[in-house]
């Protein structure tokens, strides 16, 4: 999968690895970065890598919830049919998600949590695997609607791509493919679902679970934090570390897996105090403090 995605996303193996961990944990991904660094291309490349379908929704202020979920259509001569929206795909790109109104953003709440959409009181499941990849730009924030904490908490990870290094950007300018064009990978959605179920069997000891809760609790009691990591965040860390460990060839989770994923999984779930924001504090610093205060667990204990 990495080989296919990295045909498109050049020079960002770390970000690609995190995106694939998110995919195989069947969580949702928020990509926050400046325009033109490959956020949309990453979503399309993920769909290509898993051999699945993909949909794209360009969020704008006039977008309606039914433009995402679909609607019930009544025919003049009688009868009706359900027209499914673009949310019915394996990988769904919600481009510039913060440009739509809160009412439209709320159309994602049910499907992100329940993997189903209710149309005319009829629940309709979306294809599996199902991953929402949302993007937002940290610039040009005028006229946007910041995602509420309840919706941010539904994203398993938030990552940043950043600019490519010099050599990678030269490769792009030389004419590297703008989209994944290699041979079709030996994956399809049922195979990916099997990988997801396999990752769920990765062993995680009670001591590791306790370590996750200790870190989350430290963020809740940090003096620079208004809102710390929720219990849903702890469950997200369990799912992500299981995939991360399995991708490393282990059938058990170690504390280093938690440290590697702390910022992408926990960072966007931390709401800083206004004073901390004015002082330039970021969630990574809070997590450094939380990790430093959490009792260390020997890596061999699993």
């Amino acid at each position: 999968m990495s080989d296919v995605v990295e045909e498109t996303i050049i020079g960002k193996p770390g970000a690609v690895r995190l995106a694939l961990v998110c995919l195989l944990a069947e969580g949702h991904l928020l990509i926050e970065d400046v325009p033109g660094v490959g956020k949309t291309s990453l979503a399309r490349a993920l769909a290509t890598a898993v051999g699945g379908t993909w949909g794209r929704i360009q969020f704008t202020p006039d977008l309606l919830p039914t433009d995402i979920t679909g609607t019930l259509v009544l025919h003049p001569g009688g009868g009706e049919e359900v027209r499914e929206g673009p949310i019915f795909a394996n990988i769904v790109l919600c481009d510039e998600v913060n440009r739509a109104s809160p009412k439209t953003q709320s159309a994602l709440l049910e499907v992100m949590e329940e993997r189903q959409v209710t149309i005319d009181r009829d629940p309709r499941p979306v294809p599996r695997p199902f991953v929402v990849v949302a993007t937002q730009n940290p610039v040009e924030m005028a006229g946007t609607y910041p995602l509420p904490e309840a919706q941010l908490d539904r994203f398993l990870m938030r990552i940043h791509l950043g600019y490519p290094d010099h050599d990678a950007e030269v490769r792009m300018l030389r004419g590297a493919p703008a989209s994944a064009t290699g041979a079709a990978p030996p994956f399809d959605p049922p195979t990916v679902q099997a990988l997801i179920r396999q990752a769920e069997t990765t062993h995680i000891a009670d001591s590791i679970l306790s370590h996750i809760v200790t870190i989350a609790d430290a963020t809740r009691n940090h003096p620079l934090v208004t809102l710390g990591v929720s219990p849903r965040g702890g469950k997200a860390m369990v799912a992500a570390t299981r995939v991360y460990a399995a991708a490393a060839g282990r059938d058990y989770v170690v504390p280093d897996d938690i440290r590697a994923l702390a910022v992408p999984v926990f960072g966007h779930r931390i709401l800083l105090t206004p004073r901390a924001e004015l002082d330039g504090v970021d969630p990574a610093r809070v997590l450094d403090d939380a990790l430093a205060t959490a009792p260390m667990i020997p890596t061999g204990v699993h």
Side-chain angles (χ1 to χ4, degrees), residues 158 224 263 267 270 272 276-277 279-288:
R158 179 179 65 181
L224 300 178
V263 173
I270 295 173
L272 298 170
E277 292 181 347
D279 291 342
V281 176
D282 62 6
R285 174 182 160 184
V286 173
L287 287 168
D288 285 342

Side-chain angles (χ1 to χ4, degrees), residues 63-273:
L63 191 72
L64 298 176
T66 52
D67 295 330
I68 298 172
T69 60
T71 187
L72 184 69
V73 177
L74 302 177
H75 295 292
E80 59 187 34
E81 67 170 317
V82 173
R83 292 188 179 175
E84 296 179 343
I87 200 70
F88 288 87
N90 296 119
I91 309 292
V92 180
L93 172 67
C94 297
D95 209 7
E96 296 191 274
V97 64
N98 56 331
R99 294 201 177 275
S101 68
K103 178 180 179 179
T104 300
Q105 291 175 7
S106 69
L108 296 173
L109 293 178
E110 179 188 12
V111 70
M112 290 176 70
E113 189 73 19
E114 308 294 338
R115 266 73 177 184
Q116 69 175 29
V117 174
T118 301
I119 301 176
D120 193 38
R121 293 179 291 184
D122 180 25
R124 304 176 70 86
V126 294
R128 304 292 289 271
F130 173 75
V131 177
V132 170
V133 180
T135 72
Q136 60 180 5
N137 299 327
V139 295
E140 297 180 352
M141 299 297 290
T144 62
Y145 303 87
L147 293 177
E149 299 303 319
Q151 189 160 339
L152 276 175
D153 203 37
R154 283 170 166 78
F155 287 98
L156 189 142
M157 287 188 191
R158 179 179 65 181
I159 66 172
H160 308 275
L161 291 179
Y163 292 112
D165 60 31
H166 181 86
D167 292 340
E169 193 162 2
V170 168
R171 287 173 56 200
M172 294 171 59
L173 298 180
R174 186 181 294 126
S179 60
T181 57
F187 297 107
D188 54 24
T191 304
V192 174
Q193 279 296 102
L195 292 174
I196 291 170
R197 289 191 296 270
Q198 180 180 344
E200 290 171 350
T201 66
T202 303
H203 177 67
I204 183 165
D206 288 344
S207 58
I208 301 292
L209 295 175
S210 177
H211 192 56
I212 292 173
V213 173
T214 299
I215 295 169
D217 192 56
T219 66
R220 299 165 194 161
N221 297 303
H222 197 285
L224 300 178
V225 171
T226 300
L227 185 66
V229 175
S230 68
R232 184 191 282 125
K235 294 178 66 175
M237 180 62 79
V238 169
T241 52
R242 279 177 160 157
V243 176
Y244 195 83
R250 285 182 275 107
D251 59 359
Y252 56 90
V253 176
V254 297
D256 287 344
D257 298 331
I258 300 171
R259 293 179 175 274
L261 296 173
V263 173
V265 175
F266 281 168
H268 61 289
R269 305 174 196 273
I270 295 173
L271 182 63
L272 298 170
T273 63

